[in-house]
């Protein structure tokens, strides 16, 4: 069983009881987008694990399942999925850092160019 299968399980249990996603969202105060992500098994759209476990407990209680059993099922699924290696995490961190650096550099260059044009030290681009 993976996250997608677990999400299908929750969705099927909800539908068997005649509840909509909106009903679950309203009763649990979980945003509808997170209920949809949980049911679709889209882990990347979910918050930290501690929040997800609490969401699952609340979701299960609303649809009439045992909250602790649902949380245990999720933990089994979550343990089965391998965590990213330190090398992968470092690569992702560096990629984010390079993107942020490039955006900051572009903003700085545009700001400097705008300052020079407004201060009269450079002619406006249309006047060239």
């Amino acid at each position: 069983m993976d996250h997608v299968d677990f999400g299908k399980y929750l969705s099927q249990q909800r539908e068997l009881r005649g509840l909509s996603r909106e009903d679950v969202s309203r009763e649990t105060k979980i945003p509808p987008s997170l209920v949809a992500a949980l049911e679709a098994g889209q882990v990347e759209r979910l918050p930290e694990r501690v929040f997800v476990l609490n969401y699952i407990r609340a979701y299960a209680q609303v649809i009439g399942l045992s909250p602790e059993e649902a949380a245990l099922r999720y933990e089994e699924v979550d343990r089965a999925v391998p965590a990213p290696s330190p090398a992968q995490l470092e690569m992702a961190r560096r990629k984010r850092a390079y993107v942020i650096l490039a955006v900051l550099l572009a903003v700085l260059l545009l700001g400097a160019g705008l300052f020079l044009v407004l201060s009269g030290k450079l002619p406006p681009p249309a006047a060239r």
Side-chain angles (χ1 to χ4, degrees):
M1 181 181 259
D2 62 2
H3 288 97
V4 174
D5 292 333
F6 180 77
K8 286 179 185 176
Y9 164 74
L10 290 178
S11 178
Q12 288 170 348
Q13 294 298 314
R14 174 184 54 76
E15 290 169 357
L16 283 173
R17 288 155 176 84
L19 296 170
S20 68
R21 283 183 180 168
E22 292 76 26
D23 295 333
V24 172
S25 177
R26 185 175 43 257
E27 291 292 321
T28 61
K29 307 287 192 269
I30 301 170
S33 62
L34 292 181
V35 171
L38 190 60
E39 288 186 354
Q42 297 172 329
V43 182
E44 65 279 356
R45 290 181 46 205
L46 296 173
E48 296 297 319
R49 186 173 181 275
V50 68
F51 295 111
V52 174
L53 284 171
N54 286 326
Y55 289 163
I56 289 170
R57 286 184 183 102
Y59 184 112
Q61 187 167 6
V62 165
I63 65 172
L65 296 175
S66 165
E68 291 309 312
E69 183 182 329
L72 286 174
R73 277 187 181 220
Y74 180 78
E75 286 179 338
E76 287 175 8
V77 168
D78 203 39
R79 276 190 228 119
V81 176
S85 71
Q88 290 171 321
L89 293 173
E90 179 63 17
M91 204 163 65
R93 186 193 67 77
R94 285 184 182 187
K95 184 177 179 181
R96 280 191 307 272
Y98 288 134
V99 168
I100 290 171
L101 182 63
V103 168
L104 288 175
L105 186 59
V107 168
L108 182 65
L109 288 174
L110 285 172
L114 183 62
F115 173 77
L116 291 174
V117 168
L118 292 176
S119 66
K121 296 187 178 172
L122 280 178
R128 289 182 187 182

